[in-house]
Short mmCIF file of all heavy atoms in Angstrom, two decimals:
data_model
loop_
_atom_site.label_atom_id
_atom_site.label_comp_id
_atom_site.label_asym_id
_atom_site.label_seq_id
_atom_site.Cartn_x
_atom_site.Cartn_y
_atom_site.Cartn_z
N MET A 272 62.25 5.02 149.83
CA MET A 272 62.75 5.41 148.57
C MET A 272 61.61 5.50 147.56
O MET A 272 60.71 4.40 147.60
CB MET A 272 63.82 4.45 148.20
CG MET A 272 65.07 5.16 147.77
SD MET A 272 66.29 3.97 147.22
CE MET A 272 66.99 3.43 148.79
N SER A 273 61.51 6.33 146.63
CA SER A 273 60.44 6.33 145.54
C SER A 273 60.79 5.21 144.56
O SER A 273 61.83 4.74 144.45
CB SER A 273 60.47 7.72 144.89
OG SER A 273 61.65 7.83 144.10
N LYS A 274 59.75 4.90 143.87
CA LYS A 274 59.91 3.78 142.86
C LYS A 274 60.89 4.29 141.78
O LYS A 274 61.63 3.34 141.33
CB LYS A 274 58.45 3.52 142.37
CG LYS A 274 58.51 2.28 141.42
CD LYS A 274 56.95 1.86 141.11
CE LYS A 274 56.84 0.58 140.48
NZ LYS A 274 56.87 -0.67 141.40
N SER A 275 60.79 5.55 141.47
CA SER A 275 61.70 5.92 140.39
C SER A 275 63.18 5.86 140.77
O SER A 275 64.05 5.39 140.07
CB SER A 275 61.37 7.49 140.10
OG SER A 275 62.27 8.01 139.29
N THR A 276 63.34 6.13 142.10
CA THR A 276 64.79 6.13 142.59
C THR A 276 65.30 4.61 142.65
O THR A 276 66.35 4.26 142.30
CB THR A 276 64.93 6.70 143.96
OG1 THR A 276 64.48 8.03 143.99
CG2 THR A 276 66.26 6.60 144.50
N LEU A 277 64.35 3.67 143.07
CA LEU A 277 64.66 2.31 143.10
C LEU A 277 64.93 1.79 141.68
O LEU A 277 65.91 1.03 141.46
CB LEU A 277 63.50 1.54 143.79
CG LEU A 277 63.43 1.49 145.30
CD1 LEU A 277 62.12 0.82 145.66
CD2 LEU A 277 64.64 0.73 145.87
N ASN A 278 64.10 2.20 140.73
CA ASN A 278 64.25 1.72 139.36
C ASN A 278 65.67 2.17 138.81
O ASN A 278 66.36 1.51 138.14
CB ASN A 278 63.21 2.22 138.52
CG ASN A 278 61.92 1.49 138.66
OD1 ASN A 278 61.91 0.40 139.21
ND2 ASN A 278 60.83 2.13 138.29
N THR A 279 66.03 3.45 139.04
CA THR A 279 67.24 3.99 138.69
C THR A 279 68.46 3.32 139.31
O THR A 279 69.41 2.82 138.62
CB THR A 279 67.42 5.52 138.95
OG1 THR A 279 66.31 6.10 138.35
CG2 THR A 279 68.73 6.05 138.52
N LEU A 280 68.34 3.07 140.54
CA LEU A 280 69.55 2.40 141.25
C LEU A 280 69.72 0.92 140.86
O LEU A 280 70.85 0.51 140.63
CB LEU A 280 69.29 2.45 142.82
CG LEU A 280 69.54 3.70 143.51
CD1 LEU A 280 69.11 3.63 144.94
CD2 LEU A 280 70.98 4.04 143.37
N THR A 281 68.54 0.31 140.67
CA THR A 281 68.65 -1.11 140.23
C THR A 281 69.25 -1.22 138.81
O THR A 281 69.99 -2.15 138.48
CB THR A 281 67.33 -1.92 140.36
OG1 THR A 281 66.29 -1.15 139.65
CG2 THR A 281 66.99 -1.96 141.86
N THR A 282 68.84 -0.30 137.96
CA THR A 282 69.31 -0.28 136.60
C THR A 282 70.88 -0.05 136.57
O THR A 282 71.59 -0.74 135.91
CB THR A 282 68.61 0.81 135.75
OG1 THR A 282 67.26 0.57 135.73
CG2 THR A 282 69.26 0.89 134.39
N ILE A 283 71.34 0.94 137.39
CA ILE A 283 72.69 1.18 137.42
C ILE A 283 73.49 0.10 137.94
O ILE A 283 74.62 -0.30 137.46
CB ILE A 283 73.03 2.47 138.28
CG1 ILE A 283 72.43 3.71 137.49
CG2 ILE A 283 74.53 2.68 138.66
CD1 ILE A 283 72.43 5.03 138.45
N LEU A 284 72.99 -0.65 139.06
CA LEU A 284 73.77 -1.75 139.62
C LEU A 284 73.65 -2.91 138.65
O LEU A 284 74.68 -3.62 138.46
CB LEU A 284 73.11 -2.03 140.95
CG LEU A 284 73.41 -1.09 142.12
CD1 LEU A 284 72.43 -1.48 143.25
CD2 LEU A 284 74.76 -1.20 142.41
N GLY A 285 72.67 -3.10 137.91
CA GLY A 285 72.63 -4.19 136.98
C GLY A 285 73.60 -3.89 135.84
O GLY A 285 74.30 -4.86 135.37
N LEU A 286 73.57 -2.70 135.35
CA LEU A 286 74.67 -2.34 134.35
C LEU A 286 76.14 -2.53 134.79
O LEU A 286 77.04 -2.95 134.19
CB LEU A 286 74.51 -1.03 133.84
CG LEU A 286 73.18 -0.69 133.02
CD1 LEU A 286 72.96 0.73 132.76
CD2 LEU A 286 73.41 -1.39 131.69
N ALA A 287 76.33 -2.17 136.15
CA ALA A 287 77.70 -2.23 136.65
C ALA A 287 78.12 -3.72 136.74
O ALA A 287 79.28 -4.03 136.36
CB ALA A 287 77.73 -1.68 138.09
N ALA A 288 77.25 -4.56 137.15
CA ALA A 288 77.47 -5.95 137.30
C ALA A 288 77.78 -6.64 135.85
O ALA A 288 78.69 -7.30 135.59
CB ALA A 288 76.30 -6.69 137.94
N GLY A 289 76.89 -6.27 134.86
CA GLY A 289 77.06 -6.78 133.52
C GLY A 289 78.29 -6.21 132.83
O GLY A 289 78.99 -6.98 132.29
N PHE A 290 78.64 -4.91 133.07
CA PHE A 290 79.73 -4.30 132.35
C PHE A 290 81.00 -4.81 132.90
O PHE A 290 82.01 -5.10 132.22
CB PHE A 290 79.67 -2.83 132.47
CG PHE A 290 80.54 -2.05 131.58
CD1 PHE A 290 80.36 -2.13 130.22
CD2 PHE A 290 81.51 -1.18 132.10
CE1 PHE A 290 81.20 -1.49 129.29
CE2 PHE A 290 82.32 -0.45 131.15
CZ PHE A 290 82.19 -0.61 129.84
N SER A 291 81.13 -5.03 134.32
CA SER A 291 82.36 -5.57 134.91
C SER A 291 82.55 -7.01 134.44
O SER A 291 83.60 -7.41 134.12
CB SER A 291 82.25 -5.42 136.43
OG SER A 291 81.23 -6.37 136.91
N ASN A 292 81.53 -7.84 134.25
CA ASN A 292 81.59 -9.14 133.74
C ASN A 292 82.04 -9.08 132.29
O ASN A 292 83.02 -9.86 131.92
CB ASN A 292 80.24 -9.88 133.88
CG ASN A 292 80.34 -11.32 133.43
OD1 ASN A 292 81.35 -11.96 133.72
ND2 ASN A 292 79.29 -11.79 132.63
N PHE A 293 81.55 -8.16 131.46
CA PHE A 293 82.03 -8.16 130.14
C PHE A 293 83.49 -7.68 130.08
O PHE A 293 84.26 -8.39 129.34
CB PHE A 293 81.20 -7.12 129.31
CG PHE A 293 81.68 -6.77 127.99
CD1 PHE A 293 81.57 -7.73 126.95
CD2 PHE A 293 82.21 -5.54 127.67
CE1 PHE A 293 82.08 -7.39 125.70
CE2 PHE A 293 82.75 -5.24 126.45
CZ PHE A 293 82.58 -6.13 125.51
N LEU A 294 83.98 -6.69 130.90
CA LEU A 294 85.24 -6.34 130.80
C LEU A 294 86.29 -7.33 131.32
O LEU A 294 87.36 -7.58 130.80
CB LEU A 294 85.50 -5.03 131.66
CG LEU A 294 84.80 -3.78 131.05
CD1 LEU A 294 85.06 -2.53 132.05
CD2 LEU A 294 85.40 -3.36 129.66
N GLY A 295 85.80 -8.09 132.31
CA GLY A 295 86.58 -9.19 132.74
C GLY A 295 86.72 -10.29 131.68
O GLY A 295 87.71 -11.03 131.58
N SER A 296 85.60 -10.54 130.99
CA SER A 296 85.60 -11.69 130.02
C SER A 296 86.55 -11.35 128.85
O SER A 296 87.16 -12.28 128.24
CB SER A 296 84.21 -12.09 129.59
OG SER A 296 83.70 -11.00 128.86
N ILE A 297 86.73 -9.98 128.48
CA ILE A 297 87.55 -9.71 127.36
C ILE A 297 88.94 -9.34 127.83
O ILE A 297 89.85 -9.01 127.00
CB ILE A 297 86.95 -8.61 126.49
CG1 ILE A 297 86.82 -7.32 127.25
CG2 ILE A 297 85.66 -9.11 125.85
CD1 ILE A 297 86.38 -6.19 126.39
N GLY A 298 89.16 -9.46 129.04
CA GLY A 298 90.51 -9.31 129.58
C GLY A 298 91.04 -7.79 129.88
O GLY A 298 92.15 -7.55 130.11
N VAL A 299 90.02 -6.98 129.84
CA VAL A 299 90.38 -5.52 130.05
C VAL A 299 90.67 -5.33 131.58
O VAL A 299 91.63 -4.52 131.99
CB VAL A 299 89.21 -4.53 129.70
CG1 VAL A 299 89.46 -3.10 130.15
CG2 VAL A 299 89.03 -4.69 128.13
N ILE A 300 89.97 -6.01 132.57
CA ILE A 300 90.30 -5.97 133.90
C ILE A 300 90.38 -7.35 134.47
O ILE A 300 89.95 -8.34 133.73
CB ILE A 300 89.14 -5.22 134.75
CG1 ILE A 300 87.77 -5.87 134.63
CG2 ILE A 300 89.03 -3.77 134.38
CD1 ILE A 300 86.70 -5.26 135.47
N ASN A 301 90.99 -7.55 135.50
CA ASN A 301 91.31 -8.82 136.12
C ASN A 301 89.98 -9.55 136.44
O ASN A 301 89.05 -8.92 136.93
CB ASN A 301 92.21 -8.56 137.40
CG ASN A 301 92.57 -9.88 138.05
OD1 ASN A 301 91.63 -10.71 138.46
ND2 ASN A 301 93.78 -9.96 138.34
N HIS A 302 89.99 -10.83 136.36
CA HIS A 302 88.69 -11.63 136.58
C HIS A 302 88.29 -11.45 138.06
O HIS A 302 87.04 -11.51 138.38
CB HIS A 302 88.81 -13.02 136.26
CG HIS A 302 88.97 -13.43 134.77
ND1 HIS A 302 87.88 -13.30 133.93
CD2 HIS A 302 89.95 -13.56 133.88
CE1 HIS A 302 88.18 -13.62 132.76
NE2 HIS A 302 89.43 -13.78 132.66
N THR A 303 89.18 -11.40 139.00
CA THR A 303 88.93 -11.28 140.36
C THR A 303 88.26 -9.95 140.65
O THR A 303 87.31 -9.90 141.39
CB THR A 303 90.18 -11.40 141.20
OG1 THR A 303 90.82 -12.69 140.92
CG2 THR A 303 89.90 -11.39 142.72
N VAL A 304 88.82 -8.98 140.06
CA VAL A 304 88.13 -7.55 140.22
C VAL A 304 86.74 -7.49 139.67
O VAL A 304 85.84 -7.03 140.22
CB VAL A 304 89.06 -6.48 139.60
CG1 VAL A 304 88.40 -5.13 139.61
CG2 VAL A 304 90.45 -6.42 140.28
N ALA A 305 86.59 -8.10 138.45
CA ALA A 305 85.32 -8.07 137.76
C ALA A 305 84.26 -8.98 138.61
O ALA A 305 83.26 -8.49 138.77
CB ALA A 305 85.46 -8.83 136.34
N GLY A 306 84.75 -10.06 139.18
CA GLY A 306 83.85 -10.82 139.99
C GLY A 306 83.46 -10.15 141.28
O GLY A 306 82.31 -10.17 141.78
N THR A 307 84.36 -9.37 141.85
CA THR A 307 84.13 -8.66 143.15
C THR A 307 83.16 -7.57 142.86
O THR A 307 82.20 -7.34 143.62
CB THR A 307 85.39 -8.08 143.72
OG1 THR A 307 86.41 -9.17 143.99
CG2 THR A 307 85.19 -7.22 144.88
N ILE A 308 83.39 -6.67 141.80
CA ILE A 308 82.52 -5.71 141.52
C ILE A 308 81.04 -6.26 141.18
O ILE A 308 80.01 -5.80 141.53
CB ILE A 308 82.86 -4.88 140.17
CG1 ILE A 308 84.29 -4.12 140.62
CG2 ILE A 308 81.98 -3.87 139.76
CD1 ILE A 308 85.00 -3.54 139.40
N GLY A 309 80.94 -7.27 140.34
CA GLY A 309 79.70 -7.86 139.96
C GLY A 309 78.99 -8.46 141.26
O GLY A 309 77.80 -8.31 141.31
N GLY A 310 79.75 -9.17 142.08
CA GLY A 310 79.22 -9.62 143.26
C GLY A 310 78.61 -8.65 144.23
O GLY A 310 77.47 -8.76 144.71
N LEU A 311 79.38 -7.63 144.46
CA LEU A 311 78.86 -6.47 145.25
C LEU A 311 77.65 -5.90 144.61
O LEU A 311 76.69 -5.52 145.31
CB LEU A 311 79.93 -5.48 145.50
CG LEU A 311 81.20 -5.94 146.38
CD1 LEU A 311 82.30 -4.91 146.45
CD2 LEU A 311 80.66 -6.10 147.75
N ALA A 312 77.72 -5.51 143.48
CA ALA A 312 76.47 -4.90 142.79
C ALA A 312 75.30 -5.77 142.77
O ALA A 312 74.30 -5.32 143.14
CB ALA A 312 76.87 -4.65 141.17
N ILE A 313 75.39 -7.15 142.60
CA ILE A 313 74.32 -8.05 142.70
C ILE A 313 73.74 -8.13 144.10
O ILE A 313 72.51 -8.25 144.38
CB ILE A 313 74.68 -9.41 142.12
CG1 ILE A 313 74.83 -9.18 140.58
CG2 ILE A 313 73.59 -10.42 142.38
CD1 ILE A 313 75.39 -10.44 139.85
N THR A 314 74.66 -8.14 145.05
CA THR A 314 74.21 -8.18 146.50
C THR A 314 73.40 -6.93 146.84
O THR A 314 72.28 -7.14 147.47
CB THR A 314 75.46 -8.26 147.40
OG1 THR A 314 76.27 -9.48 147.11
CG2 THR A 314 75.08 -8.38 148.85
N VAL A 315 73.85 -5.81 146.55
CA VAL A 315 72.99 -4.63 146.75
C VAL A 315 71.77 -4.55 145.98
O VAL A 315 70.60 -4.21 146.51
CB VAL A 315 73.89 -3.29 146.56
CG1 VAL A 315 73.07 -2.09 146.74
CG2 VAL A 315 75.14 -3.31 147.49
N LEU A 316 71.76 -5.03 144.69
CA LEU A 316 70.70 -5.15 143.87
C LEU A 316 69.68 -6.01 144.56
O LEU A 316 68.45 -5.72 144.52
CB LEU A 316 71.05 -5.63 142.55
CG LEU A 316 69.96 -5.74 141.49
CD1 LEU A 316 69.33 -4.45 141.16
CD2 LEU A 316 70.68 -6.44 140.19
N GLY A 317 70.10 -7.24 145.08
CA GLY A 317 69.09 -8.10 145.79
C GLY A 317 68.54 -7.57 146.79
O GLY A 317 67.28 -7.80 147.15
N TYR A 318 69.24 -6.71 147.68
CA TYR A 318 68.61 -6.12 148.76
C TYR A 318 67.66 -5.09 148.46
O TYR A 318 66.55 -4.90 148.95
CB TYR A 318 69.69 -5.41 149.66
CG TYR A 318 69.21 -4.52 150.71
CD1 TYR A 318 68.75 -5.09 151.83
CD2 TYR A 318 69.10 -3.09 150.59
CE1 TYR A 318 68.25 -4.35 152.94
CE2 TYR A 318 68.60 -2.32 151.63
CZ TYR A 318 68.20 -2.86 152.80
OH TYR A 318 67.67 -2.15 153.65
N LEU A 319 67.98 -4.13 147.39
CA LEU A 319 67.05 -3.11 146.96
C LEU A 319 65.77 -3.69 146.30
O LEU A 319 64.66 -3.05 146.60
CB LEU A 319 67.76 -2.28 145.91
CG LEU A 319 68.87 -1.35 146.50
CD1 LEU A 319 69.57 -0.60 145.37
CD2 LEU A 319 68.30 -0.41 147.47
N VAL A 320 65.75 -4.79 145.59
CA VAL A 320 64.55 -5.13 145.00
C VAL A 320 63.51 -5.77 145.86
O VAL A 320 62.40 -5.97 145.73
CB VAL A 320 64.82 -6.21 143.82
CG1 VAL A 320 65.58 -5.54 142.70
CG2 VAL A 320 65.47 -7.43 144.33
N GLN A 321 64.05 -6.09 147.15
CA GLN A 321 63.16 -6.66 148.23
C GLN A 321 62.46 -5.49 148.98
O GLN A 321 61.57 -5.69 149.80
CB GLN A 321 63.96 -7.48 149.19
CG GLN A 321 64.53 -8.74 148.60
CD GLN A 321 63.52 -9.56 148.06
OE1 GLN A 321 62.39 -9.89 148.75
NE2 GLN A 321 63.79 -10.21 146.85
N GLN A 322 62.96 -4.24 148.83
CA GLN A 322 62.42 -3.10 149.63
C GLN A 322 61.15 -2.53 148.83
O GLN A 322 61.20 -2.30 147.65
CB GLN A 322 63.51 -1.96 149.78
CG GLN A 322 64.79 -2.31 150.31
CD GLN A 322 64.57 -3.04 151.73
OE1 GLN A 322 63.94 -2.41 152.50
NE2 GLN A 322 65.11 -4.23 151.88
N PRO A 323 60.05 -2.32 149.68
CA PRO A 323 58.94 -1.75 149.01
C PRO A 323 59.30 -0.24 148.71
O PRO A 323 59.88 0.46 149.43
CB PRO A 323 57.92 -1.77 150.10
CG PRO A 323 58.50 -2.07 151.38
CD PRO A 323 59.89 -2.64 150.98
N ALA A 324 58.68 0.24 147.73
CA ALA A 324 58.92 1.67 147.29
C ALA A 324 58.03 2.55 148.30
O ALA A 324 57.23 2.03 148.96
CB ALA A 324 58.42 1.97 145.86
N ALA A 325 58.44 3.75 148.45
CA ALA A 325 57.76 4.72 149.32
C ALA A 325 56.31 4.73 148.97
O ALA A 325 55.82 4.88 147.90
CB ALA A 325 58.32 6.10 149.29
N GLY A 326 55.45 4.58 149.94
CA GLY A 326 53.97 4.62 149.76
C GLY A 326 53.33 3.32 149.38
O GLY A 326 52.08 3.21 149.28
N GLU A 327 54.25 2.21 149.26
CA GLU A 327 53.64 0.86 148.87
C GLU A 327 53.76 0.01 150.14
O GLU A 327 54.60 0.15 151.01
CB GLU A 327 54.42 0.34 147.74
CG GLU A 327 54.30 0.92 146.48
CD GLU A 327 55.09 0.26 145.37
OE1 GLU A 327 55.63 -0.85 145.68
OE2 GLU A 327 55.00 0.58 144.19
N GLU A 328 52.72 -0.85 150.14
CA GLU A 328 52.67 -1.81 151.25
C GLU A 328 53.59 -3.02 150.92
O GLU A 328 53.72 -3.47 149.82
CB GLU A 328 51.21 -2.43 151.53
CG GLU A 328 50.20 -1.46 151.92
CD GLU A 328 50.51 -0.94 153.38
OE1 GLU A 328 50.89 -1.90 154.22
OE2 GLU A 328 50.36 0.26 153.70
N PRO A 329 54.26 -3.56 151.89
CA PRO A 329 55.18 -4.74 151.71
C PRO A 329 54.25 -5.84 151.28
O PRO A 329 53.17 -6.04 151.71
CB PRO A 329 55.84 -4.92 152.98
CG PRO A 329 55.55 -3.88 153.87
CD PRO A 329 54.36 -3.10 153.24
N GLN A 330 54.66 -6.70 150.34
CA GLN A 330 53.82 -7.88 149.90
C GLN A 330 54.01 -9.00 150.94
O GLN A 330 55.02 -9.17 151.58
CB GLN A 330 54.36 -8.38 148.51
CG GLN A 330 54.09 -7.32 147.48
CD GLN A 330 54.52 -7.97 146.00
OE1 GLN A 330 55.19 -8.94 146.03
NE2 GLN A 330 54.06 -7.29 145.00
N ALA A 331 52.86 -9.73 151.08
CA ALA A 331 52.83 -10.89 151.95
C ALA A 331 53.59 -12.02 151.33
O ALA A 331 53.65 -12.09 150.14
CB ALA A 331 51.43 -11.29 152.22
N PRO A 332 54.27 -12.81 152.13
CA PRO A 332 54.99 -13.97 151.53
C PRO A 332 54.01 -14.90 150.84
O PRO A 332 52.92 -14.99 151.21
CB PRO A 332 55.64 -14.58 152.77
CG PRO A 332 55.18 -13.89 154.06
CD PRO A 332 54.36 -12.74 153.54
N HIS A 333 54.59 -15.53 149.88
CA HIS A 333 53.80 -16.45 149.13
C HIS A 333 53.52 -17.67 150.05
O HIS A 333 54.39 -18.15 150.71
CB HIS A 333 54.60 -16.96 147.85
CG HIS A 333 53.71 -17.67 146.91
ND1 HIS A 333 53.43 -18.98 146.98
CD2 HIS A 333 53.03 -17.20 145.75
CE1 HIS A 333 52.74 -19.34 145.96
NE2 HIS A 333 52.48 -18.42 145.17
N PRO A 334 52.23 -18.14 150.04
CA PRO A 334 51.82 -19.31 150.91
C PRO A 334 52.72 -20.56 150.71
O PRO A 334 53.00 -21.19 151.70
CB PRO A 334 50.39 -19.56 150.52
CG PRO A 334 49.92 -18.38 149.83
CD PRO A 334 51.15 -17.71 149.16
N GLN A 335 53.12 -20.80 149.55
CA GLN A 335 53.94 -22.05 149.38
C GLN A 335 55.38 -21.98 149.92
O GLN A 335 56.06 -22.91 150.06
CB GLN A 335 53.95 -22.42 147.86
CG GLN A 335 52.62 -22.90 147.36
CD GLN A 335 52.64 -23.31 145.87
OE1 GLN A 335 53.65 -23.14 145.24
NE2 GLN A 335 51.58 -23.89 145.41
N SER A 336 55.88 -20.71 150.04
CA SER A 336 57.19 -20.48 150.54
C SER A 336 57.29 -20.70 152.07
O SER A 336 58.33 -20.55 152.66
CB SER A 336 57.74 -19.12 150.08
OG SER A 336 56.95 -18.08 150.88
N GLN A 337 56.14 -20.95 152.78
CA GLN A 337 56.12 -21.14 154.27
C GLN A 337 56.38 -22.55 154.64
O GLN A 337 56.10 -22.88 155.77
CB GLN A 337 54.73 -20.69 154.81
CG GLN A 337 54.51 -19.24 154.47
CD GLN A 337 55.52 -18.28 155.23
OE1 GLN A 337 55.86 -18.55 156.32
NE2 GLN A 337 55.96 -17.32 154.61
N LYS A 338 56.69 -23.43 153.72
CA LYS A 338 56.94 -24.91 154.05
C LYS A 338 58.24 -25.08 154.89
O LYS A 338 59.11 -24.41 154.88
CB LYS A 338 57.09 -25.70 152.78
CG LYS A 338 55.74 -25.73 151.97
CD LYS A 338 56.05 -26.50 150.66
CE LYS A 338 54.71 -26.58 149.87
NZ LYS A 338 54.85 -27.30 148.64
#
């Protein structure tokens, strides 16, 4: 995936998570539904931010994280 596509997807997913949280907090949608939408968006977001963009080398793990 290109860096531009990754940026767009992560922005959309971040907005979806934040917006669902906001709507749940003001009572427009059920808190369970808001939590589910936010959780799914954040899960996919976490996966996407770990993926290197097309043409980029994956980053080596940080030496301290190998403990």
Side-chain angles (χ1 to χ4, degrees):
M272 234 183 275
S273 72
K274 190 168 188 90
S275 174
T276 303
L277 280 173
N278 287 342
T279 301
L280 284 175
T281 56
T282 299
I283 291 169
L284 289 169
L286 287 171
F290 197 61
S291 68
N292 184 38
F293 173 71
L294 291 177
S296 69
I297 63 172
V299 173
I300 60 175
N301 183 302
H302 287 283
T303 304
V304 173
T307 301
I308 293 169
L311 289 172
I313 290 172
T314 300
V315 175
L316 180 63
Y318 172 77
L319 288 175
V320 298
Q321 297 298 319
Q322 303 305 307
E327 290 185 0
E328 293 291 322
Q330 291 184 348
H333 194 276
Q335 291 182 349
S336 66
Q337 298 295 320
K338 292 181 180 178

